Amino acid sequence: VKIFNSIVCFPWQGDKNNGFDVLYHNMKHGQISSKELSDFIRERATIEEVYSRSMTKLAKTASNCSQLGTFAPVWDVFKQSTEKLAACHMELVRKLQELIKEVQKYVEEQAKNHKKTKEEVASTLEAVQNIQSVSQALQKSKENYINKTLEQERMRKEGATQRDLDKAGLKVKKATETYKSYVEKYANAKTEFEQRMTETAQKFQGIEEEHVLRMQEIIHSYCQSVEETHIQIGEVQEEFVKNMENTSVESLMQKLAESKGTGKERPGNTYLNDFFLRLSYFLFFSLLGTSRGPSPVTLASQDALPIAVAFTESVNAYFKGADPSKCIVKITGDMTLSFPSGIIKIFTSTPSPAVLSFKLSNTSRLEQIMPNQQLLHSDSSQSDTNTKDFWLNMPALTAYLRKISEQNPAASYYNVDILKYQVCSNGIQSSPLNLVVYWKCTSSTTDLRVDYRYNPESMQSPAALTNVQVLVPVSGGVTNMQSLPNAIWNAEQSKSLWKLSSGSLRAKFELSDGPSVPATLAVQFFSEGSTLSGVDMELVGSGYRLSLSKKRFATGKIDFRLHQSNIYTITRRCYDSRSWCYYNSLDFNTFSAYAQACSFVIEMSLCVCVHSQAAIWLTAEI
């Protein structure tokens, strides 16, 4: 029984049968809520626009600050960061305005659907009015019958004449016939009323379910836009912090010396040095953090030589059906060291440069480590499973750096692949993004739904996934596509592309040459600032300093496909379900129970039925 049936035919029926009015006005309230949601999003867009303009004005204030003195370059950092923040909020304004257009479009569709529904339920309204009219007449005839009967009884007791009693009897007889007639009319009206109201209640419930779903999808898009803006703001703030870290006391003093031509020697003003040292500490602690900035190109042999390290990991996941226990995840990683070009001169001019040694931590999460055997050495007898020490073959490293510098002499730094590794994985628990895909294919349409969930537990230090994209090939000659959120359709490749953050997507494809065949779904994403393994690097010994450490991971290949073991093809002509079971060696009772559980109907076409963790393909001639 539909939920709205209880409103119409049970507790809300009453004497006046006003359940229809309740449901009809509830439908009309949906238009009000849609317009109110549009107004709310528009007001949020206005607030974001005002904030963006205020930030732009603040950036101009920074550009108008004094360009004299050693502190002047810092204002450029403030100006650029503030302008980028203003751009982030203005981008949110643009997204919200696009969303408002979608809401307005839905409001127009909603008005058309309501008008159409009003026309379709006109017969139901007549049934309601009829039963209300008959109910009132029935009540009056009942009261009239009771009154006439009581009047006849009173006259008999008071000894009225026979003539008067006969007249009273005729009135009772007439009242009885009228009452009986209306009882029959009411029974007929009630039958028609309940039948039409049941159908109408189901229609109203379908409208409300679709309305709530559309509203939820709009709100999801709203949340997604706000979330993406927050991520962008975080990236701008991170860039600001790094720029401030790179704006060291030495660089500010150097710029001042170069612009004013005061020479190469550091000024001897103790108070000025103390001021900029305090300023540096404030910027560092209040905002190749503790990074000392980019590695210089020219170096002195007595300085600690700067190097940078980068960890890049690749996630490969294979989702088999909707069963999470069958998901296969493989994670590989690369470690790269970056050397400034000036270090080559120091290596070649020094008879025995200091040996570059480092320690990897969190290695217990790695199931295999493959070092660059030409450059890297390690002690295989190390007992600590969570750390591993390495040192470089300095003559081999010097020769390698000299070779690549000869190939690219203008480069300011050189990257060297040091080692590769494979991370221990625990199936779907190790995937940052979990997927479940549902297909429904008919000869004329294909419905697709992808549920995806961010999995922070897969990371040592949870980080946001950016540039999330879903690519789905759809066969069958797609002529039209509708999707939430919006997708890009490539007609030449018959593929649909979504750029997402989190949640779920739904799409409907209209076909000219269906049905479609469910295909492999590909996903990609990117994350900066963290790795899945949590592996880290620490320099050991003296002579070198770590100027920068970068971590990131991205997709290698992530796809989702149905099991071959869950595909059944029926090629013989069958005339009923029993014949189908006979030809395919299946027990009919088992087949019927399974079919009912999966809610699937065999049609004269290709269809896909997904229920729980099962996916079935049926090609049948029934």
Side-chain angles (χ1 to χ4, degrees):
V1 178
K2 285 281 187 176
I3 296 174
F4 279 12
N5 282 353
S6 62
I7 295 180
V8 173
C9 299
F10 297 105
W12 288 79
Q13 178 177 329
D15 294 334
K16 297 182 179 180
N17 300 287
N18 62 348
F20 178 87
D21 289 338
V22 172
L23 296 183
Y24 181 79
H25 286 94
N26 182 71
M27 179 185 72
K28 302 300 289 183
H29 292 159
Q31 287 184 270
I32 298 176
S33 62
S34 301
K35 293 177 181 177
E36 289 175 343
L37 180 58
S38 176
D39 293 340
F40 179 87
I41 298 175
R42 183 177 290 103
E43 183 64 24
R44 175 63 187 268
T46 301
I47 293 172
E48 292 293 335
E49 184 175 8
V50 171
Y51 186 82
S52 175
R53 297 187 186 282
S54 298
M55 293 297 287
T56 302
K57 184 178 180 181
L58 182 61
K60 293 181 179 179
T61 301
S63 64
N64 292 332
C65 290
S66 175
Q67 299 301 311
L68 302 176
T70 313
F71 191 74
V74 178
W75 289 117
D76 290 333
V77 179
F78 274 105
K79 175 180 178 293
Q80 294 173 6
S81 177
T82 307
E83 287 176 342
K84 290 182 178 179
L85 287 176
C88 290
H89 288 277
M90 189 56 70
E91 175 65 14
L92 178 57
V93 172
R94 185 192 66 79
K95 292 179 180 179
L96 293 179
Q97 289 174 344
E98 290 295 324
L99 184 58
I100 291 172
K101 293 180 181 178
E102 291 186 19
V103 179
Q104 291 294 342
K105 183 178 179 181
Y106 169 58
V107 170
E108 295 173 0
E109 294 175 358
Q110 195 178 30
K112 294 179 181 179
N113 290 335
H114 288 182
K115 182 179 180 181
K116 179 181 178 182
T117 301
K118 183 178 180 181
E119 295 174 354
E120 291 175 347
V121 301
S123 59
T124 305
L125 179 59
E126 293 177 359
V128 172
Q129 294 172 345
N130 182 42
I131 195 172
Q132 290 174 343
S133 175
V134 172
S135 297
Q136 293 176 359
L138 176 62
Q139 183 63 26
K140 290 181 180 180
S141 66
K142 179 182 178 181
E143 293 174 354
N144 183 54
Y145 165 75
I146 294 173
N147 291 334
K148 297 303 181 183
T149 303
L150 293 176
E151 178 65 17
Q152 183 186 39
E153 186 64 23
R154 182 185 63 78
M155 293 174 64
R156 183 180 293 110
K157 289 181 180 180
E158 293 178 354
T161 64
Q162 186 60 39
R163 182 180 179 183
D164 291 337
L165 290 175
D166 292 341
K167 290 182 179 180
L170 291 174
K171 292 181 180 179
V172 170
K173 182 179 179 180
K174 184 177 180 181
T176 302
E177 293 175 350
T178 302
Y179 182 30
K180 180 180 179 181
S181 173
Y182 278 114
V183 168
E184 294 175 351
K185 289 182 180 179
Y186 178 79
N188 295 332
K190 182 173 181 293
T191 300
E192 183 181 7
F193 164 76
E194 291 181 348
Q195 178 181 352
R196 293 191 179 278
M197 282 307 302
T198 299
E199 297 172 354
T200 301
Q202 293 175 352
K203 184 183 297 293
F204 279 134
Q205 181 163 345
I207 291 173
E208 289 307 308
E209 288 174 348
E210 179 66 21
H211 168 64
V212 174
L213 181 61
R214 289 290 296 271
M215 295 289 278
Q216 287 178 335
E217 290 169 345
I218 292 170
I219 294 173
H220 172 73
S221 299
Y222 169 81
C223 295
Q224 180 178 341
S225 299
V226 174
E227 181 181 7
E228 290 174 350
T229 300
H230 288 171
I231 294 174
Q232 294 171 354
I233 291 174
E235 292 173 350
V236 172
Q237 177 64 14
E238 182 180 359
E239 180 184 27
F240 175 76
V241 170
K242 290 181 180 178
N243 288 336
M244 282 301 183
E245 290 173 353
N246 296 337
T247 309
S248 61
V249 173
E250 290 85 355
S251 65
L252 290 173
M253 298 291 287
Q254 184 66 28
K255 289 180 180 179
L256 177 65
E258 292 174 354
S259 62
K260 298 299 182 181
T262 57
K264 298 182 179 180
E265 298 297 328
R266 175 182 283 183
N269 192 327
T270 303
Y271 296 102
L272 187 62
N273 288 345
D274 181 66
F275 165 74
F276 282 108
L277 183 61
R278 292 177 181 274
L279 174 63
S280 175
Y281 281 139
F282 169 75
L283 293 175
F284 286 170
F285 293 107
S286 66
L287 298 179
L288 11 227
T290 57
S291 170
R292 295 181 61 182
S295 302
V297 177
T298 58
L299 303 167
S301 59
Q302 68 272 17
D303 292 340
L305 303 179
I307 63 171
V309 65
F311 292 94
T312 303
E313 294 181 352
S314 179
V315 186
N316 299 273
Y318 182 54
F319 293 86
K320 296 183 177 180
D323 187 351
S325 65
K326 295 182 179 179
C327 175
I328 300 174
V329 178
K330 182 180 179 181
I331 303 171
T332 58
D334 295 275
M335 174 183 169
T336 302
L337 291 181
S338 182
F339 298 88
S341 59
I343 206 172
I344 300 176
K345 183 177 181 181
I346 295 176
F347 282 170
T348 54
S349 62
T350 304
S352 299
V355 176
L356 175 56
S357 303
F358 62 88
K359 176 186 295 185
L360 286 184
S361 57
N362 295 327
T363 55
S364 61
R365 303 194 65 183
L366 309 182
E367 62 182 12
Q368 189 175 10
I369 300 178
M370 295 159 284
N372 184 335
Q373 296 185 358
Q374 295 180 347
L375 302 177
L376 200 61
H377 299 295
S378 65
D379 186 358
S380 59
S381 64
Q382 298 179 53
S383 58
D384 190 350
T385 60
N386 201 41
T387 61
K388 198 169 184 64
D389 294 324
F390 296 89
W391 63 93
L392 275 83
N393 182 331
M394 299 308 294
L397 175 63
T398 302
Y400 181 79
L401 290 175
R402 185 190 297 115
K403 179 179 178 181
I404 59 177
S405 69
E406 292 173 353
Q407 297 173 352
N408 189 8
S412 58
Y413 61 90
Y414 302 104
N415 295 330
V416 180
D417 293 331
I418 294 298
L419 57 82
K420 299 180 181 296
Y421 55 87
Q422 183 168 328
V423 185
C424 300
S425 65
N426 184 26
I428 198 171
Q429 300 299 326
S430 300
S431 175
L433 192 67
N434 298 336
L435 300 170
V436 178
V437 180
Y438 303 92
W439 290 82
K440 180 182 179 182
C441 303
T442 68
S443 59
S444 59
T445 61
T446 293
D447 290 333
L448 173 68
R449 174 182 167 190
V450 180
D451 292 338
Y452 48 95
R453 183 180 68 85
Y454 172 64
N455 180 27
E457 291 80 8
S458 65
M459 289 163 267
Q460 185 80 357
S461 300
L465 304 181
T466 59
N467 195 29
V468 181
Q469 299 186 18
V470 177
L471 184 65
V472 184
V474 182
S475 60
V478 176
T479 59
N480 187 33
M481 177 188 71
Q482 299 177 354
S483 70
L484 286 174
N486 292 330
I488 301 172
W489 173 250
N490 188 321
E492 295 180 358
Q493 300 181 0
S494 297
K495 293 181 180 180
S496 187
L497 174 66
W498 283 267
K499 296 183 179 181
L500 310 167
S501 60
S502 64
S504 65
L505 63 86
R506 302 172 65 196
K508 187 181 189 69
F509 302 89
E510 297 178 4
L511 310 177
S512 62
D513 190 23
S516 300
V517 177
T520 299
L521 177 145
V523 180
Q524 76 171 34
F525 54 77
F526 182 83
S527 182
E528 187 80 32
S530 179
T531 60
L532 297 171
S533 65
V535 67
D536 207 348
M537 178 262 209
E538 176 186 353
L539 290 177
V540 178
S542 59
Y544 303 90
R545 62 180 176 88
L546 191 62
S547 63
L548 183 65
S549 177
K550 299 196 70 174
K551 299 178 181 179
R552 58 190 172 188
F553 64 87
T555 46
K557 180 180 180 182
I558 293 186
D559 61 36
F560 182 103
R561 63 185 65 182
L562 302 175
H563 287 299
Q564 187 67 29
S565 59
N566 285 334
I567 300 174
Y568 299 90
T569 303
I570 308 167
T571 58
R572 304 189 184 189
R573 177 172 297 275
C574 305
Y575 295 95
D576 55 31
S577 297
R578 293 183 184 275
S579 299
W580 183 84
C581 295
Y582 173 78
Y583 281 120
N584 291 274
S585 302
L586 293 177
D587 177 69
F588 175 70
N589 293 330
T590 302
F591 166 80
S592 299
Y594 186 72
Q596 184 177 5
C598 292
S599 301
F600 93 84
V601 178
I602 301 178
E603 299 176 353
M604 295 186 64
S605 63
L606 173 70
C607 66
V608 175
C609 169
V610 179
H611 173 76
S612 183
Q613 297 177 359
I616 304 173
W617 295 7
L618 295 173
T619 304
E621 290 179 314
I622 302 298

